[in-house]
Amino acid sequence: MQIKELQDIASQVRRDIVRMVHGCKSGHPGGSLGCTDILTALYFQQMKISNRRGKGSYLSFKMEGRDEDLFFLSNGHISPLFYSVLARRGYFGVEELATFRKINSRLQGHPTTHEGLPGIRVASGSLGQGLSVAIGAALGKRLDGDDRTVYVLMGDGEQQEGQIWEAAQFAPHHKVDNLVAIIDLNYQQIDGPTEKVMANRDLKAKYKAFGWNVMEIKEGNSMEACVAGLRKARRLTGKGQPVMILLHTDMGAGVDFMMGTHKWHGSAPNDEQLAAALAQLPQTLGDY
């Protein structure tokens, strides 16, 4: 898929995000918008997933993901992004995005497995757990002789969780080299800038000290940079070390008044703000 095609998908995903959060008057648009480019690049370009079709011509989903790359969303509050990407990729109908955070919807505020939504392999939202889950899945693939890669996305505020650092120590020790972890570095969390809430300091030095192969994507809201960075990360797998991508993004990327502030971490736009946001995001694939 060409860069322009990926950019068009990302634009539509961003439209989905702001419309979903506006529709239920709750949710987390800021981080969702910031990570749109990397997740679009993963699902539509980088990851090997099954293209088999099942009921309703949607992609066939099997929980074990044999011979497929796997993705885990650790910072589950950016579920609007995840749901939009899954729907646009073909796991379920885009019209279901309209049910986001509604009673009895499969699209809950934080992803859950018991809802039976295709593409969801673990309940997430309790921050700090995703890296451990991804390591377990990567080890499972090793035991099964499955040479595919496991990806996990975390937030930078999430790095304040202690379980992260237990997992960070475990993966290099056990040479979990079929794992690519990504940290969204937007330097914002719900209570304010990460540097004020609890400074992460030098994450690159920390992960290197733990034994990770660390790389950076400096322009995390550039589709070209995301595609190139993910290709580089894949080349670094299988060399005895887990791979860490430090992804520099802007919270709220794509909507000028949402960018660079923690205020849009968990706030929904009103009618006027929605219209202003949509005016900046071209409709490319068609709204749900």
Side-chain angles (χ1 to χ4, degrees), residues 24 99-108 115:
C24 62
T99 72
F100 177 60
R101 281 184 172 242
K102 303 290 178 65
I103 296 296
N104 298 322
S105 170
R106 298 194 296 177
L107 279 62
Q108 292 298 301
E115 302 291 349

Side-chain angles (χ1 to χ4, degrees), residues 76-77 85 89 95 128 200 217 244 288:
H77 56 275
V85 167
R89 186 65 177 84
E95 66 278 359
N200 284 315
I217 299 178
M244 174 60 70
Y288 59 85

Side-chain angles (χ1 to χ4, degrees), residues 94-262:
V94 295
E95 66 278 359
E96 193 169 352
L97 298 177
T99 72
F100 177 60
R101 281 184 172 242
K102 303 290 178 65
I103 296 296
N104 298 322
S105 170
R106 298 194 296 177
L107 279 62
Q108 292 298 301
H110 294 79
T112 63
T113 53
H114 73 271
E115 302 291 349
L117 189 67
I120 306 298
R121 288 190 165 89
V122 65
S124 61
S126 296
L127 295 176
Q129 299 179 5
L131 184 57
S132 299
V133 172
I135 291 169
L139 288 173
K141 283 192 174 294
R142 179 190 292 178
L143 289 171
D144 287 342
D146 185 343
D147 65 355
R148 303 313 303 173
T149 303
V150 176
Y151 295 87
V152 58
L153 175 61
M154 302 174 280
D156 52 1
E158 188 176 6
Q159 303 306 298
Q160 298 160 4
E161 298 283 351
Q163 184 175 338
I164 290 285
W165 296 101
E166 295 178 50
Q169 183 174 347
F170 180 97
H173 177 79
H174 291 278
K175 295 181 172 57
V176 186
D177 61 0
N178 57 335
L179 172 69
V180 176
I182 305 166
I183 299 175
D184 174 27
L185 286 174
N186 61 28
Y187 301 100
Q188 308 292 333
Q189 58 189 102
I190 194 166
D191 293 326
T194 54
E195 295 304 302
K196 290 185 178 180
V197 177
M198 186 180 293
N200 284 315
R201 302 190 186 277
D202 192 341
L203 286 175
K204 185 175 184 178
K206 286 182 178 181
Y207 276 96
K208 278 190 172 183
F210 273 71
W212 289 69
N213 194 338
V214 183
M215 55 168 284
E216 295 187 75
I217 299 178
K218 293 285 190 178
E219 298 178 85
N221 295 123
S222 160
M223 189 60 72
E224 294 95 331
C226 286
V227 168
L230 289 171
R231 286 174 176 167
K232 178 181 177 181
R234 172 61 67 83
R235 292 195 299 268
L236 294 175
T237 60
K239 300 182 185 301
Q241 290 178 284
V243 178
M244 174 60 70
I245 298 175
L246 300 180
L247 179 75
H248 297 264
T249 71
D250 288 317
M251 176 169 280
V255 179
D256 55 9
F257 62 86
M258 291 186 178
M259 292 175 64
T261 172
H262 73 280

Side-chain angles (χ1 to χ4, degrees), residues 3 13 40 44 51 89 92 119-120 128 132 138 168 174 224 230 233 264:
I3 294 296
V13 167
T40 299
F44 288 86
N51 286 314
R89 186 65 177 84
F92 55 90
I120 306 298
S132 299
H174 291 278
E224 294 95 331
L230 289 171
W264 290 99

